[in-house]
Amino acid sequence: MDRLNDGRALQRLLDELGRLPGIGPKSAQRIAYHLLEADAEEARRLATAILEVKEQVHFCPVCFSYATRDTCDVCSDASRDRTTICVVSEPRDVSAIERTGSYHGLYHVLGGVISPMDKIGPEQLHVKELLARLASGEVQEVILATNPDVEGETTATYLSRVIRPLGVRVSRLASGLPVGGDLEYADEVTLGRAIEARREV
């Protein structure tokens, strides 16, 4: 009976690991066997880290990036340039741009992109909240940093159309990013140059 339970426990671990993005059956197996061979303390640290992330990390009520305090580190940093907002699709894109060290303004995370095929329109994104942030008149430029694919370009075009009448400059990340690529996987130099050479749209 114990051996049967052990087999089920291993299969449950393989099943859960296999649900993670980018983890196929072979990768799940490698990770599972690594955890089996690791000492109990290492496995406990991993389990604790996962639980702590779920319990302590939430969406920033201002920009919708990840935060562990009332607001995220960027929104609460008084030294950031508050006249510029960089609009991205997902919180992980904030991390990608921050790694370049080329941008010092604020962010706004849409929570996705416009995708009619998936029934995602502007109403399902944080567009209304972005427009509310622009209403103060403090922001002078919005940088559209959605991915350079069909959905990202559609989203950027829509945002440009609704922001422009507010008298705010709208720019788009420059070429250099591969078409169809993700910001998350762009190297720091390419992404940094794209930010510096952004163009008005």
Side-chain angles (χ1 to χ4, degrees):
M1 181 65 73
D2 287 342
R3 188 175 300 167
L4 180 61
N5 287 337
D6 288 347
R8 286 178 180 167
L10 177 57
Q11 189 57 52
R12 276 200 305 273
L13 178 58
L14 288 167
D15 291 343
E16 292 304 320
L17 290 171
R19 289 190 177 94
L20 297 174
I23 303 293
K26 288 185 178 178
S27 295
Q29 197 172 50
R30 278 196 299 272
I31 296 169
Y33 285 122
H34 170 78
L35 292 172
L36 280 173
E37 293 167 11
D39 58 43
E41 183 55 35
E42 183 179 344
R44 195 173 291 112
R45 282 197 307 270
L46 176 61
T48 300
I50 293 170
L51 290 173
E52 284 179 352
V53 161
K54 294 302 294 178
E55 291 167 359
Q56 297 176 18
V57 178
H58 58 88
F59 289 114
C60 174
V62 178
C63 73
F64 300 97
S65 186
Y66 293 132
T68 53
R69 295 176 290 178
D70 290 342
T71 56
C72 71
D73 292 342
V74 173
C75 287
S76 58
D77 184 352
S79 69
R80 303 291 296 211
D81 175 10
R82 299 188 175 271
T83 65
T84 308
I85 292 180
C86 182
V87 178
V88 297
S89 303
E90 303 291 347
R92 61 177 174 261
D93 298 330
V94 172
S95 300
I97 292 174
E98 282 296 285
R99 284 197 301 270
T100 70
S102 300
Y103 178 70
H104 308 289
L106 301 177
Y107 292 93
H108 190 85
V109 179
L110 294 171
V113 288
I114 295 172
S115 177
M117 293 285 288
D118 299 316
K119 298 182 179 176
I120 299 173
E123 303 78 18
Q124 283 74 49
L125 306 176
H126 298 298
V127 174
K128 181 175 63 177
E129 293 86 350
L130 172 62
L131 297 177
R133 292 178 72 184
L134 300 179
S136 69
E138 185 179 13
V139 178
Q140 298 173 13
E141 180 185 6
V142 171
I143 303 169
L144 303 176
T146 51
N147 287 329
D149 53 20
V150 174
E151 291 84 2
E153 291 296 337
T154 300
T155 305
T157 300
Y158 171 80
L159 290 175
S160 175
R161 199 166 63 243
V162 297
I163 294 170
R164 196 175 281 284
L166 303 176
V168 177
R169 180 178 180 234
V170 182
S171 59
R172 183 90 169 105
L173 290 189
S175 58
L177 293 172
V179 174
D182 289 342
L183 291 178
E184 183 184 5
Y185 303 115
D187 65 272
E188 286 84 353
V189 174
T190 299
L191 194 51
R193 285 176 180 166
I195 291 170
E196 291 165 1
R198 62 185 179 271
R199 55 185 168 81
E200 192 163 349
V201 294

